[in-house]
Amino acid sequence: MSLRNRKNPELKNLYYKRLLPIEKYYSFHHFHSPSYEDADFGNKPMVLVMGQYSTGKTTFIRYLIEQDFLGSRVGPEPTTDCFTALMYGEAEGIIPGNALTMDPKKPFRNLDPFGNSFLNRFQCVQMPNRVLESISIIDTPGILTAAKRKLSRGYDFPAVLRWFAERVDRIILLFDAHKLEFSDELTRAFGALCGYEDKLRVVLNKADRVDSQQLMRVYGALMWSLGKVFRTPEILRVYIGSFWSEPRQTCDHYQLIELEEEDLLADIRNLPRNAAVRKLNDLVKRARLVRAHAHIISYLKQEMPTIFCKESKKHNLIYQLPVIFNKIQQQHRVPAGDFPDCTKMQEKLLSQDFSKFKRLKPSLMTSLDKLLTTDIANLVPLLQNQEPRKKSLPGVLDGEFLGTFRPDHYRRHPFKEPPKDEGSEADFDEWVVEKHKPKYDEIFYNLSPNAGKLSGTKVKEWMTKTLLPNSVLAHIWRLSDVDGDGMLDNEEFALAVHLIEGKLEGHWLPRELPPHLVPPSKRLSTASDASA
C-alpha cells in the first residue's frame, strides 16, 4: 500500500465521522461547496495555472512536464477555451467532461452542477509523464481582456475557478511583463480566489523581454493593482521569470530571473511532501465555516414566526444579516474570519425556505468542537511523521541547478534502471554523436580539462552561455554525466553539447538517456550497473 493511501484514511474518517453529518443536517452544500468524496482525499496534489490569454500558461505547463500534450495550442490570440486536467495515465488519451464527472476515482464529480455549457469545455488529458506521477496540473481558459468583456462563456467562470481554488494545492497566476492589463473578468476571477491567497503564487512572465527600468515600473504597477484587489496586510509574492525551455534573451536582470525560477520550482517541488498537511488545513477551514454556518441557520430558524408574516420576517432577517453575524460572534465566540461573505450569503438566503431550517443540535456541535480542539491536534504530528522524504521529481523539477554540480549529488547513480527499448546493444554500435565529435572535442580541450575530464564548475560556466534555463541545463548535465562522478570526459561532454544543440533546435530532451546516445566507452559499465 502506498504512503498516500496509508495516511489519507485518518483525514477521510475524521471528515465522514465528525463533519459530514453536520453539513447534511444544516444543508451546508446548498450555500457553500459540495461535500468531499473519497477521491478528494486520495488524489495527487493539483496545480491550477491561470492568467489572461497570451501570458504563457500552456507554455509554462509544457516547461514543467517537458513535452507537448493533446489539445495544447500556443499563440497570441485566445487559444485555450477549456479547462484541461493533466493527469498521469499508462496510455495517452482524452476523457471528456461529462464522462469525467462520472468517474469515482477522479476528484471532479462535484463539477456536474455547472451543466453542459461547462462540461463541454472540460477535459482530462492522461499521459505517461513522470512529473504527473507526483502532481496533476489544471490548465484554464485565458481570462478575457477589456476588449472581449461582452463575450459570454455560457457558464459561471468565477464559480468554477473558486471550486478549483478550494481543492488545489497551488494556484499559479501569470502576467505578461510587456502587456499588463486588468480587465473586468480578471477582477471577478480575483474575487473567486479570495480566502485562498495562501495558495496563490503570482508570476510576472516573459521578464527577459523588457529592460531593467521597464521591469521595475511593470512590477510596481502589478503590485499596486494586486493591492487594490486583495485587501490583505500581507503582500503577495510575485516571481519574476521567463518560464519556457527555450533560450532567454540577454538582459541585465538575467541572474534575478534564474534565482526566481529556482524559488518557484522549489515551491512546486515540495507539494507532494506537504500534501497531507495541506488537506488537513483545508479541512480545518471548512470545519470552521461549517460551525459559523450552523449558528447562522439555527439563529434564523429561531427568529422565524410560527404562522403569520413569515415572508416579511424572512426579508427583514436577510436585511439584518450583518447585525446577526455580530450577535453570533459575541454569543458563541465565533471569530469574524470564520463567517462567509455576507452579501453572497444574503443572495443565497433569498431562495431558501426558512421553515425547513434546523435549530442547534448540541450533540452535533459537541462533535464539531471535539474535531477542532482535540482530533485535529492529535492528527497533525501523525501526518507530519508520515510525510514522505523529499523526493526528486524528474526534469526541470529535479533539484536546483547549483546542487546538480555538487559532489554529494552523486551519491546515487541516476541510471540504475535498464533501458526499456527492445533493441539490444548491438543495434547501437554506431554512436550518433560521433560524426560531430571533432567539433565538440575542440571546445572540450579549449576548456583545459584536468586528467582528461572537465569539472562541473568549468562545464557550468560554458553551458550558461547558451542562455538556456538553468533547470534545462541541469537536466542535460544529469543525462551527460553517465558514470555519475561529477565530471565530464570528452565523450560525455560531446553528448552534452549534442543535447544542447538539439534543445536549441526545438527538440524535447529525453527523460532518460536512450541506449543509442550512451557513449561507447560507457555502454559496458552502464549495462553491468543495470544488472547489478
Side-chain angles (χ1 to χ4, degrees), residues 158 172 275 298 305 440:
I172 307 294
S298 62
Y440 301 153

Side-chain angles (χ1 to χ4, degrees), residues 10-161:
E10 289 89 347
L11 282 175
K12 185 168 65 175
N13 293 338
L14 206 58
Y15 173 74
Y16 287 145
K17 180 181 178 181
R18 301 284 190 200
L19 196 55
L20 185 57
I22 308 174
E23 291 184 12
K24 291 180 176 179
Y25 190 76
Y26 293 105
S27 302
F28 179 81
H29 64 281
H30 288 161
F31 297 86
H32 306 287
S33 57
S35 58
Y36 287 162
E37 296 190 347
D38 289 354
D40 292 308
F41 295 96
N43 67 300
K44 298 164 187 163
M46 291 193 292
V47 178
L48 180 69
V49 181
M50 55 181 290
Q52 292 176 302
Y53 73 86
S54 191
T55 55
K57 298 186 303 300
T58 303
T59 303
F60 177 79
I61 294 172
R62 290 165 60 185
Y63 170 65
L64 292 182
I65 65 175
E66 293 192 302
Q67 70 176 95
D68 282 314
F69 56 92
L70 293 175
S72 66
R73 290 181 296 150
V74 177
E77 74 286 351
T79 51
T80 304
D81 61 350
C82 65
F83 284 80
T84 301
L86 275 72
M87 307 185 79
Y88 180 80
E90 295 295 337
E92 194 170 26
I94 296 180
I95 305 174
N98 282 287
L100 197 57
T101 57
M102 297 294 105
D103 188 348
K105 296 182 180 179
K106 298 285 192 300
F108 306 119
R109 287 167 60 87
N110 288 322
L111 282 168
D112 190 64
F114 290 106
N116 280 330
S117 295
F118 166 71
L119 295 178
N120 290 336
R121 295 175 175 85
F122 179 47
Q123 62 183 9
C124 174
V125 173
Q126 291 187 313
M127 61 176 65
N129 181 280
R130 288 180 60 200
V131 172
L132 298 178
E133 289 182 6
S134 302
I135 62 175
S136 299
I137 303 174
I138 312 295
D139 192 11
T140 62
I143 296 173
L144 300 177
T145 60
K148 305 278 186 181
R149 64 171 178 257
K150 293 183 180 180
L151 298 177
S152 174
R153 293 185 183 273
Y155 60 92
D156 192 341
F157 181 65
V160 174
L161 286 179

Side-chain angles (χ1 to χ4, degrees), residues 268-489:
I268 298 174
R269 191 183 307 131
N270 287 327
L271 290 179
R273 190 165 58 118
N274 302 323
V277 174
R278 198 279 304 167
K279 285 184 172 64
L280 180 64
N281 181 63
D282 285 351
L283 186 67
V284 172
K285 289 168 64 175
R286 186 179 180 93
R288 296 172 74 95
L289 179 59
V290 169
R291 180 177 62 181
H293 174 79
H295 283 296
I296 294 169
I297 295 301
S298 62
Y299 184 94
L300 295 176
K301 173 66 175 179
Q302 180 181 337
E303 293 296 314
M304 283 295 291
T306 307
I307 301 176
F308 301 107
C309 305
K310 287 186 176 182
E311 196 64 25
S312 62
K313 183 62 174 179
K314 169 184 172 180
H315 286 282
N316 188 40
L317 288 171
I318 293 175
Y319 177 76
Q320 293 182 343
L321 196 60
V323 179
I324 294 173
F325 280 12
N326 288 330
K327 288 182 179 179
I328 294 174
Q329 289 178 41
Q330 296 172 5
Q331 292 177 6
H332 301 282
R333 297 181 181 179
V334 179
D338 291 355
F339 285 85
D341 181 88
C342 188
T343 303
K344 292 181 180 178
M345 189 67 179
Q346 288 173 321
E347 294 174 358
K348 297 281 181 64
L349 287 170
L350 285 171
S351 60
Q352 298 296 319
D353 184 359
F354 284 20
S355 63
K356 295 182 179 179
F357 287 175
K358 306 289 182 62
R359 295 180 183 272
L360 274 185
K361 192 172 183 179
S363 60
L364 289 178
M365 300 309 294
T366 301
S367 178
L368 182 56
D369 289 338
K370 186 175 186 298
L371 168 70
L372 290 170
T373 57
T374 306
D375 295 335
I376 296 296
N378 293 336
L379 194 56
V380 169
L382 178 63
L383 293 181
Q384 289 177 333
N385 291 335
Q386 289 181 337
E387 288 287 9
R389 298 291 181 185
K390 186 173 182 180
K391 185 177 77 170
S392 290
L393 296 177
V396 300
L397 290 174
D398 186 8
E400 68 276 2
F401 185 51
L402 294 177
T404 304
F405 291 90
R406 287 198 293 264
D408 59 358
H409 184 83
Y410 294 91
R411 290 174 181 168
R412 62 176 180 82
H413 197 291
F415 304 108
K416 284 289 186 185
E417 295 184 7
K420 299 178 182 179
D421 299 78
E422 296 179 357
S424 63
E425 289 183 19
D427 297 329
F428 306 107
D429 287 339
E430 183 180 353
W431 189 34
V432 296
V433 184
E434 189 66 45
K435 58 183 177 181
H436 300 296
K437 193 170 182 295
K439 178 179 67 174
Y440 301 153
D441 282 346
E442 184 178 351
I443 303 173
F444 177 81
Y445 290 108
N446 284 337
L447 293 175
S448 303
N450 183 18
K453 292 193 174 186
L454 288 173
S455 66
T457 304
K458 286 186 177 181
V459 176
K460 172 178 175 290
E461 184 179 349
W462 178 84
M463 290 173 73
T464 52
K465 294 178 182 178
T466 64
L467 298 182
L468 284 169
N470 281 347
S471 53
V472 174
L473 295 178
H475 186 46
I476 291 173
W477 169 271
R478 288 188 290 272
L479 292 174
S480 305
D481 189 11
V482 181
D483 55 16
D485 63 353
M487 296 181 288
L488 300 186
D489 59 22

Side-chain angles (χ1 to χ4, degrees), residues 188-204:
R188 291 194 297 271
F190 283 153
L193 302 181
C194 286
Y196 303 103
E197 291 86 355
D198 58 315
K199 301 179 180 181
L200 184 61
R201 302 292 183 268
V202 181
V203 176
L204 188 58

